[in-house]
């Protein structure tokens, strides 16, 4: 069985390193500190779907190193709170906010989002979460919390890259899960939970191709910088992450694992 591999501490702890920056630029086209399967096009689609504006209060669940949340705060002018369990990610996010003069608009806190969310009812205009909820046990409870803290008429969006589309071997599941805790969902399960939480106007968009593309580019960009990355991560972690990325590419390009974007609103 593949051993555990670290992705997030390494990616966020070495955010400023030239090699990691170059890998992000080559993988995503623009460096927003990503560790997700969100392409540049999807990054642009998210604020439109959520109808973000200057007056929006926005919550990001699993903000990672903060780059995307800060990009939205800068571009749209909205106010944003980001939560993530990873300490180096949250530290990096707050440092970036300070460096970019966005601290009064955006703040980041270390928080396990499987707990009750630390906000009042009806607090946010929009909530989003890019490739995070698959790490969280108890999806109905998270969706219930998202519903509770959204204002009437508020919008939510999340992506799930672990919807089962075909047969998977136990080795493939182990390699795909080698970077942490994961929940795999049967098709239709997210839709049922979203409805049960009370949301309306649901839209589901197939984004499997984005995971297939990003995993391939990420693997290739890392391979090109193997010497620098091995010096930072060590050989075992480097090879483990490469196996993880190849596995994502194979499973998504063969549509045995699917990635969907779920969008819904709270009744006004
Ligand atoms: C695939 S990454 C996506 C990060 C970011 N959304 C992006 O687009 O780059 C998943 C993120 O979920 C965070 N995460 C995992 N479990 C979590 C939990 N229980 N509570 C909060 N964040 C969590 C990880 O630390 C990581 O930053």
């Amino acid at each position: 069985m593949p051993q555990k591999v670290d992705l997030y501490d390494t990616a966020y702890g070495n955010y400023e390193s030239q090699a990691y920056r170059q890998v992000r630029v080559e993988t995503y086209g623009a460096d927003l500190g990503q560790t997700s399967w969100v392409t540049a096009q999807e990054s642009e689609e998210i604020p439109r779907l959520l109808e973000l504006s200057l007056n929006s209060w926005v919550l990001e669940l699993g903000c990672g190193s903060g780059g995307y949340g800060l990009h939205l705060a800068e571009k749209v002018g909205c106010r944003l709170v980001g939560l993530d369990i990873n300490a180096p990610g949250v530290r990096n996010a707050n440092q970036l906010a300070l460096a970019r003069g966005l601290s009064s608009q955006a703040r980041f806190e270390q928080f396990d989002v499987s707990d009750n969310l630390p906000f009042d009812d009806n607090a946010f205009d929009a909530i989003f979460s890019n490739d995070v909820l698959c790490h969280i046990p108890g999806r109905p409870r998270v969706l219930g919390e998202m519903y509770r803290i959204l204002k009437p008429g508020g919008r939510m969006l999340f992506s799930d890259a672990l919807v089962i589309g075909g047969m998977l071997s136990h080795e493939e599941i182990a390699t795909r899960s080698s970077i942490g805790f994961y929940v795999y969902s049967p098709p239709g399960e997210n839709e049922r939970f979203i409805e049960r939480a009370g949301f309306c106007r649901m839209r589901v968009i197939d984004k499997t191709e984005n995971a297939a593309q990003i995993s391939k580019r990420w693997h290739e960009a890392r391979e090109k910088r193997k010497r620098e990355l091995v010096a930072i991560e060590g050989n075992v972690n480097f090879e483990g992450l490469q196996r993880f990325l190849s596995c994502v590419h194979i499973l998504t390009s063969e549509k045995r694992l699917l990635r969907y974007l779920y969008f819904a609103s709270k009744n006004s």
Side-chain angles (χ1 to χ4, degrees), residues 234-266:
N235 195 52
V236 172
N237 207 71
F238 176 85
E239 294 299 347
L241 276 181
Q242 294 303 82
R243 269 194 303 278
F244 164 77
L245 293 169
S246 294
C247 178
V248 174
H249 179 66
I250 291 167
L251 296 180
T252 49
S253 52
E254 294 177 4
K255 308 258 189 237
R256 289 190 283 135
L257 265 189
L258 309 171
R259 176 175 182 271
Y260 286 113
L261 191 68
Y262 300 88
F263 168 82
S265 312
K266 180 168 173 175

mmCIF file of all heavy atoms in Angstrom, residues 234-266:
data_model
loop_
_atom_site.group_PDB
_atom_site.id
_atom_site.type_symbol
_atom_site.label_atom_id
_atom_site.label_comp_id
_atom_site.label_asym_id
_atom_site.label_seq_id
_atom_site.Cartn_x
_atom_site.Cartn_y
_atom_site.Cartn_z
ATOM 1 N N GLY A 234 12.448 15.873 -0.335
ATOM 2 C CA GLY A 234 12.996 14.517 -0.179
ATOM 3 C C GLY A 234 12.462 13.638 -1.306
ATOM 4 O O GLY A 234 11.385 13.897 -1.862
ATOM 5 N N ASN A 235 13.233 12.600 -1.628
ATOM 6 C CA ASN A 235 12.908 11.762 -2.778
ATOM 7 C C ASN A 235 11.601 10.981 -2.580
ATOM 8 O O ASN A 235 10.798 10.852 -3.500
ATOM 9 C CB ASN A 235 14.074 10.805 -3.054
ATOM 10 C CG ASN A 235 13.927 10.200 -4.431
ATOM 11 O OD1 ASN A 235 13.755 10.935 -5.403
ATOM 12 N ND2 ASN A 235 13.938 8.892 -4.505
ATOM 13 N N VAL A 236 11.395 10.481 -1.349
ATOM 14 C CA VAL A 236 10.216 9.640 -1.098
ATOM 15 C C VAL A 236 8.945 10.465 -1.293
ATOM 16 O O VAL A 236 7.987 10.039 -1.962
ATOM 17 C CB VAL A 236 10.275 9.040 0.333
ATOM 18 C CG1 VAL A 236 8.977 8.337 0.687
ATOM 19 C CG2 VAL A 236 11.456 8.087 0.446
ATOM 20 N N ASN A 237 8.937 11.679 -0.751
ATOM 21 C CA ASN A 237 7.739 12.520 -0.907
ATOM 22 C C ASN A 237 7.556 12.946 -2.365
ATOM 23 O O ASN A 237 6.433 12.958 -2.884
ATOM 24 C CB ASN A 237 7.812 13.750 0.012
ATOM 25 C CG ASN A 237 6.422 14.247 0.368
ATOM 26 O OD1 ASN A 237 5.700 13.602 1.120
ATOM 27 N ND2 ASN A 237 6.008 15.343 -0.226
ATOM 28 N N PHE A 238 8.679 13.297 -3.020
ATOM 29 C CA PHE A 238 8.580 13.712 -4.419
ATOM 30 C C PHE A 238 7.925 12.604 -5.252
ATOM 31 O O PHE A 238 6.955 12.845 -5.983
ATOM 32 C CB PHE A 238 9.970 14.056 -4.992
ATOM 33 C CG PHE A 238 9.908 14.402 -6.447
ATOM 34 C CD1 PHE A 238 9.618 15.699 -6.859
ATOM 35 C CD2 PHE A 238 10.088 13.423 -7.432
ATOM 36 C CE1 PHE A 238 9.508 16.016 -8.221
ATOM 37 C CE2 PHE A 238 9.975 13.730 -8.783
ATOM 38 C CZ PHE A 238 9.691 15.034 -9.173
ATOM 39 N N GLU A 239 8.442 11.379 -5.114
ATOM 40 C CA GLU A 239 7.909 10.271 -5.918
ATOM 41 C C GLU A 239 6.461 9.962 -5.517
ATOM 42 O O GLU A 239 5.631 9.641 -6.371
ATOM 43 C CB GLU A 239 8.787 9.005 -5.782
ATOM 44 C CG GLU A 239 10.189 9.158 -6.363
ATOM 45 C CD GLU A 239 10.223 9.454 -7.866
ATOM 46 O OE1 GLU A 239 9.202 9.309 -8.550
ATOM 47 O OE2 GLU A 239 11.306 9.876 -8.349
ATOM 48 N N GLY A 240 6.164 10.063 -4.239
ATOM 49 C CA GLY A 240 4.799 9.805 -3.763
ATOM 50 C C GLY A 240 3.812 10.790 -4.381
ATOM 51 O O GLY A 240 2.720 10.409 -4.839
ATOM 52 N N LEU A 241 4.193 12.077 -4.437
ATOM 53 C CA LEU A 241 3.297 13.082 -5.039
ATOM 54 C C LEU A 241 3.167 12.860 -6.548
ATOM 55 O O LEU A 241 2.076 13.060 -7.106
ATOM 56 C CB LEU A 241 3.814 14.497 -4.765
ATOM 57 C CG LEU A 241 3.405 15.094 -3.420
ATOM 58 C CD1 LEU A 241 3.961 16.510 -3.254
ATOM 59 C CD2 LEU A 241 1.882 15.121 -3.262
ATOM 60 N N GLN A 242 4.248 12.445 -7.178
ATOM 61 C CA GLN A 242 4.169 12.168 -8.621
ATOM 62 C C GLN A 242 3.204 11.007 -8.887
ATOM 63 O O GLN A 242 2.406 11.046 -9.831
ATOM 64 C CB GLN A 242 5.559 11.869 -9.204
ATOM 65 C CG GLN A 242 6.522 13.058 -9.185
ATOM 66 C CD GLN A 242 6.003 14.278 -9.903
ATOM 67 O OE1 GLN A 242 5.221 15.055 -9.341
ATOM 68 N NE2 GLN A 242 6.397 14.475 -11.144
ATOM 69 N N ARG A 243 3.262 9.973 -8.020
ATOM 70 C CA ARG A 243 2.337 8.828 -8.188
ATOM 71 C C ARG A 243 0.889 9.289 -7.983
ATOM 72 O O ARG A 243 -0.018 8.905 -8.709
ATOM 73 C CB ARG A 243 2.656 7.722 -7.162
ATOM 74 C CG ARG A 243 3.645 6.698 -7.658
ATOM 75 C CD ARG A 243 3.661 5.468 -6.771
ATOM 76 N NE ARG A 243 3.953 5.758 -5.384
ATOM 77 C CZ ARG A 243 5.187 5.936 -4.888
ATOM 78 N NH1 ARG A 243 6.242 5.826 -5.663
ATOM 79 N NH2 ARG A 243 5.363 6.208 -3.607
ATOM 80 N N PHE A 244 0.699 10.148 -6.970
ATOM 81 C CA PHE A 244 -0.644 10.684 -6.689
ATOM 82 C C PHE A 244 -1.175 11.445 -7.919
ATOM 83 O O PHE A 244 -2.302 11.218 -8.369
ATOM 84 C CB PHE A 244 -0.551 11.612 -5.459
ATOM 85 C CG PHE A 244 -1.730 12.520 -5.264
ATOM 86 C CD1 PHE A 244 -2.926 12.031 -4.748
ATOM 87 C CD2 PHE A 244 -1.659 13.874 -5.598
ATOM 88 C CE1 PHE A 244 -4.030 12.870 -4.582
ATOM 89 C CE2 PHE A 244 -2.747 14.713 -5.431
ATOM 90 C CZ PHE A 244 -3.939 14.212 -4.923
ATOM 91 N N LEU A 245 -0.331 12.312 -8.508
ATOM 92 C CA LEU A 245 -0.777 13.120 -9.659
ATOM 93 C C LEU A 245 -1.057 12.245 -10.878
ATOM 94 O O LEU A 245 -2.045 12.459 -11.596
ATOM 95 C CB LEU A 245 0.262 14.207 -9.979
ATOM 96 C CG LEU A 245 0.398 15.294 -8.895
ATOM 97 C CD1 LEU A 245 1.618 16.180 -9.156
ATOM 98 C CD2 LEU A 245 -0.866 16.153 -8.799
ATOM 99 N N SER A 246 -0.211 11.234 -11.112
ATOM 100 C CA SER A 246 -0.462 10.314 -12.245
ATOM 101 C C SER A 246 -1.776 9.582 -12.035
ATOM 102 O O SER A 246 -2.545 9.379 -12.986
ATOM 103 C CB SER A 246 0.598 9.222 -12.330
ATOM 104 O OG SER A 246 1.813 9.748 -12.623
ATOM 105 N N CYS A 247 -2.012 9.167 -10.799
ATOM 106 C CA CYS A 247 -3.235 8.423 -10.485
ATOM 107 C C CYS A 247 -4.470 9.302 -10.746
ATOM 108 O O CYS A 247 -5.438 8.857 -11.371
ATOM 109 C CB CYS A 247 -3.164 7.985 -9.013
ATOM 110 S SG CYS A 247 -4.606 7.115 -8.441
ATOM 111 N N VAL A 248 -4.415 10.576 -10.326
ATOM 112 C CA VAL A 248 -5.547 11.492 -10.577
ATOM 113 C C VAL A 248 -5.763 11.606 -12.085
ATOM 114 O O VAL A 248 -6.900 11.541 -12.566
ATOM 115 C CB VAL A 248 -5.295 12.893 -9.960
ATOM 116 C CG1 VAL A 248 -6.406 13.858 -10.349
ATOM 117 C CG2 VAL A 248 -5.167 12.801 -8.449
ATOM 118 N N HIS A 249 -4.661 11.738 -12.826
ATOM 119 C CA HIS A 249 -4.798 11.902 -14.277
ATOM 120 C C HIS A 249 -5.456 10.672 -14.917
ATOM 121 O O HIS A 249 -6.392 10.807 -15.716
ATOM 122 C CB HIS A 249 -3.445 12.194 -14.922
ATOM 123 C CG HIS A 249 -3.573 12.346 -16.397
ATOM 124 N ND1 HIS A 249 -4.262 13.390 -16.977
ATOM 125 C CD2 HIS A 249 -3.165 11.547 -17.407
ATOM 126 C CE1 HIS A 249 -4.261 13.238 -18.279
ATOM 127 N NE2 HIS A 249 -3.608 12.136 -18.572
ATOM 128 N N ILE A 250 -4.973 9.506 -14.561
ATOM 129 C CA ILE A 250 -5.534 8.278 -15.166
ATOM 130 C C ILE A 250 -7.019 8.139 -14.801
ATOM 131 O O ILE A 250 -7.876 7.939 -15.673
ATOM 132 C CB ILE A 250 -4.741 7.030 -14.703
ATOM 133 C CG1 ILE A 250 -3.344 7.057 -15.317
ATOM 134 C CG2 ILE A 250 -5.460 5.727 -15.073
ATOM 135 C CD1 ILE A 250 -2.364 6.071 -14.698
ATOM 136 N N LEU A 251 -7.338 8.288 -13.520
ATOM 137 C CA LEU A 251 -8.732 8.042 -13.092
ATOM 138 C C LEU A 251 -9.708 9.058 -13.665
ATOM 139 O O LEU A 251 -10.845 8.712 -13.993
ATOM 140 C CB LEU A 251 -8.815 8.035 -11.552
ATOM 141 C CG LEU A 251 -8.042 6.909 -10.854
ATOM 142 C CD1 LEU A 251 -8.200 7.006 -9.343
ATOM 143 C CD2 LEU A 251 -8.527 5.542 -11.340
ATOM 144 N N THR A 252 -9.256 10.321 -13.801
ATOM 145 C CA THR A 252 -10.183 11.332 -14.336
ATOM 146 C C THR A 252 -10.249 11.255 -15.864
ATOM 147 O O THR A 252 -11.322 11.430 -16.438
ATOM 148 C CB THR A 252 -9.810 12.756 -13.881
ATOM 149 O OG1 THR A 252 -8.417 12.961 -14.122
ATOM 150 C CG2 THR A 252 -10.118 12.975 -12.420
ATOM 151 N N SER A 253 -9.117 10.981 -16.531
ATOM 152 C CA SER A 253 -9.212 10.916 -17.999
ATOM 153 C C SER A 253 -10.000 9.690 -18.437
ATOM 154 O O SER A 253 -10.640 9.708 -19.484
ATOM 155 C CB SER A 253 -7.854 11.043 -18.684
ATOM 156 O OG SER A 253 -6.966 10.126 -18.139
ATOM 157 N N GLU A 254 -9.988 8.644 -17.618
ATOM 158 C CA GLU A 254 -10.819 7.461 -17.941
ATOM 159 C C GLU A 254 -12.230 7.584 -17.345
ATOM 160 O O GLU A 254 -13.022 6.639 -17.416
ATOM 161 C CB GLU A 254 -10.136 6.195 -17.407
ATOM 162 C CG GLU A 254 -8.838 5.922 -18.138
ATOM 163 C CD GLU A 254 -8.073 4.703 -17.599
ATOM 164 O OE1 GLU A 254 -8.592 4.020 -16.693
ATOM 165 O OE2 GLU A 254 -6.960 4.462 -18.097
ATOM 166 N N LYS A 255 -12.506 8.727 -16.695
ATOM 167 C CA LYS A 255 -13.839 9.022 -16.103
ATOM 168 C C LYS A 255 -14.249 7.968 -15.073
ATOM 169 O O LYS A 255 -15.445 7.711 -14.894
ATOM 170 C CB LYS A 255 -14.936 9.128 -17.187
ATOM 171 C CG LYS A 255 -14.596 10.076 -18.310
ATOM 172 C CD LYS A 255 -15.310 11.372 -18.143
ATOM 173 C CE LYS A 255 -15.177 12.274 -19.346
ATOM 174 N NZ LYS A 255 -14.629 13.561 -19.075
ATOM 175 N N ARG A 256 -13.251 7.382 -14.416
ATOM 176 C CA ARG A 256 -13.602 6.461 -13.327
ATOM 177 C C ARG A 256 -13.751 7.246 -12.029
ATOM 178 O O ARG A 256 -14.408 6.817 -11.103
ATOM 179 C CB ARG A 256 -12.539 5.354 -13.216
ATOM 180 C CG ARG A 256 -12.654 4.411 -14.400
ATOM 181 C CD ARG A 256 -11.818 3.197 -14.212
ATOM 182 N NE ARG A 256 -10.408 3.422 -14.434
ATOM 183 C CZ ARG A 256 -9.434 2.973 -13.652
ATOM 184 N NH1 ARG A 256 -9.709 2.308 -12.564
ATOM 185 N NH2 ARG A 256 -8.168 3.203 -13.953
ATOM 186 N N LEU A 257 -13.121 8.446 -11.962
ATOM 187 C CA LEU A 257 -13.414 9.407 -10.896
ATOM 188 C C LEU A 257 -13.846 10.685 -11.581
ATOM 189 O O LEU A 257 -13.193 11.129 -12.541
ATOM 190 C CB LEU A 257 -12.170 9.692 -10.055
ATOM 191 C CG LEU A 257 -11.964 8.902 -8.780
ATOM 192 C CD1 LEU A 257 -10.799 9.494 -7.997
ATOM 193 C CD2 LEU A 257 -13.207 8.829 -7.883
ATOM 194 N N LEU A 258 -14.924 11.277 -11.072
ATOM 195 C CA LEU A 258 -15.495 12.465 -11.709
ATOM 196 C C LEU A 258 -15.354 13.660 -10.773
ATOM 197 O O LEU A 258 -15.317 13.498 -9.553
ATOM 198 C CB LEU A 258 -16.977 12.221 -12.009
ATOM 199 C CG LEU A 258 -17.263 10.919 -12.764
ATOM 200 C CD1 LEU A 258 -18.758 10.648 -12.818
ATOM 201 C CD2 LEU A 258 -16.677 10.976 -14.174
ATOM 202 N N ARG A 259 -15.260 14.830 -11.394
ATOM 203 C CA ARG A 259 -15.197 16.055 -10.578
ATOM 204 C C ARG A 259 -16.358 16.951 -11.006
ATOM 205 O O ARG A 259 -16.476 17.284 -12.190
ATOM 206 C CB ARG A 259 -13.863 16.774 -10.789
ATOM 207 C CG ARG A 259 -13.764 18.094 -10.043
ATOM 208 C CD ARG A 259 -12.368 18.693 -10.194
ATOM 209 N NE ARG A 259 -12.224 19.930 -9.449
ATOM 210 C CZ ARG A 259 -12.503 21.136 -9.931
ATOM 211 N NH1 ARG A 259 -12.916 21.287 -11.173
ATOM 212 N NH2 ARG A 259 -12.360 22.196 -9.170
ATOM 213 N N TYR A 260 -17.186 17.318 -10.041
ATOM 214 C CA TYR A 260 -18.342 18.169 -10.334
ATOM 215 C C TYR A 260 -18.271 19.462 -9.535
ATOM 216 O O TYR A 260 -17.746 19.486 -8.411
ATOM 217 C CB TYR A 260 -19.643 17.450 -9.961
ATOM 218 C CG TYR A 260 -20.028 16.347 -10.922
ATOM 219 C CD1 TYR A 260 -20.009 15.020 -10.526
ATOM 220 C CD2 TYR A 260 -20.411 16.643 -12.228
ATOM 221 C CE1 TYR A 260 -20.363 14.001 -11.403
ATOM 222 C CE2 TYR A 260 -20.769 15.636 -13.105
ATOM 223 C CZ TYR A 260 -20.742 14.318 -12.693
ATOM 224 O OH TYR A 260 -21.088 13.322 -13.569
ATOM 225 N N LEU A 261 -18.856 20.505 -10.130
ATOM 226 C CA LEU A 261 -19.024 21.787 -9.444
ATOM 227 C C LEU A 261 -20.505 21.895 -9.107
ATOM 228 O O LEU A 261 -21.353 21.750 -9.996
ATOM 229 C CB LEU A 261 -18.614 22.899 -10.407
ATOM 230 C CG LEU A 261 -18.448 24.291 -9.857
ATOM 231 C CD1 LEU A 261 -17.243 24.350 -8.929
ATOM 232 C CD2 LEU A 261 -18.196 25.269 -11.012
ATOM 233 N N TYR A 262 -20.807 22.103 -7.855
ATOM 234 C CA TYR A 262 -22.201 22.200 -7.391
ATOM 235 C C TYR A 262 -22.470 23.646 -7.011
ATOM 236 O O TYR A 262 -21.694 24.239 -6.247
ATOM 237 C CB TYR A 262 -22.428 21.302 -6.174
ATOM 238 C CG TYR A 262 -22.156 19.848 -6.460
ATOM 239 C CD1 TYR A 262 -20.876 19.319 -6.313
ATOM 240 C CD2 TYR A 262 -23.173 19.012 -6.924
ATOM 241 C CE1 TYR A 262 -20.620 17.995 -6.603
ATOM 242 C CE2 TYR A 262 -22.916 17.682 -7.219
ATOM 243 C CZ TYR A 262 -21.649 17.181 -7.056
ATOM 244 O OH TYR A 262 -21.374 15.859 -7.346
ATOM 245 N N PHE A 263 -23.558 24.175 -7.521
ATOM 246 C CA PHE A 263 -23.926 25.558 -7.217
ATOM 247 C C PHE A 263 -25.376 25.558 -6.757
ATOM 248 O O PHE A 263 -26.219 24.841 -7.344
ATOM 249 C CB PHE A 263 -23.777 26.416 -8.483
ATOM 250 C CG PHE A 263 -24.399 27.764 -8.339
ATOM 251 C CD1 PHE A 263 -23.703 28.780 -7.701
ATOM 252 C CD2 PHE A 263 -25.690 27.996 -8.770
ATOM 253 C CE1 PHE A 263 -24.298 30.018 -7.514
ATOM 254 C CE2 PHE A 263 -26.279 29.231 -8.592
ATOM 255 C CZ PHE A 263 -25.584 30.253 -7.962
ATOM 256 N N ALA A 264 -25.714 26.304 -5.727
ATOM 257 C CA ALA A 264 -27.113 26.394 -5.267
ATOM 258 C C ALA A 264 -27.299 27.673 -4.459
ATOM 259 O O ALA A 264 -26.327 28.336 -4.075
ATOM 260 C CB ALA A 264 -27.472 25.175 -4.423
ATOM 261 N N SER A 265 -28.572 28.006 -4.197
ATOM 262 C CA SER A 265 -28.881 29.241 -3.450
ATOM 263 C C SER A 265 -29.758 28.918 -2.245
ATOM 264 O O SER A 265 -30.418 27.876 -2.208
ATOM 265 C CB SER A 265 -29.693 30.217 -4.294
ATOM 266 O OG SER A 265 -29.147 30.372 -5.539
ATOM 267 N N LYS A 266 -29.797 29.876 -1.338
ATOM 268 C CA LYS A 266 -30.737 29.803 -0.205
ATOM 269 C C LYS A 266 -31.942 30.659 -0.587
ATOM 270 O O LYS A 266 -31.759 31.775 -1.100
ATOM 271 C CB LYS A 266 -30.047 30.366 1.047
ATOM 272 C CG LYS A 266 -30.888 30.354 2.307
ATOM 273 C CD LYS A 266 -29.998 30.651 3.522
ATOM 274 C CE LYS A 266 -30.802 30.810 4.778
ATOM 275 N NZ LYS A 266 -29.955 30.984 5.964
#
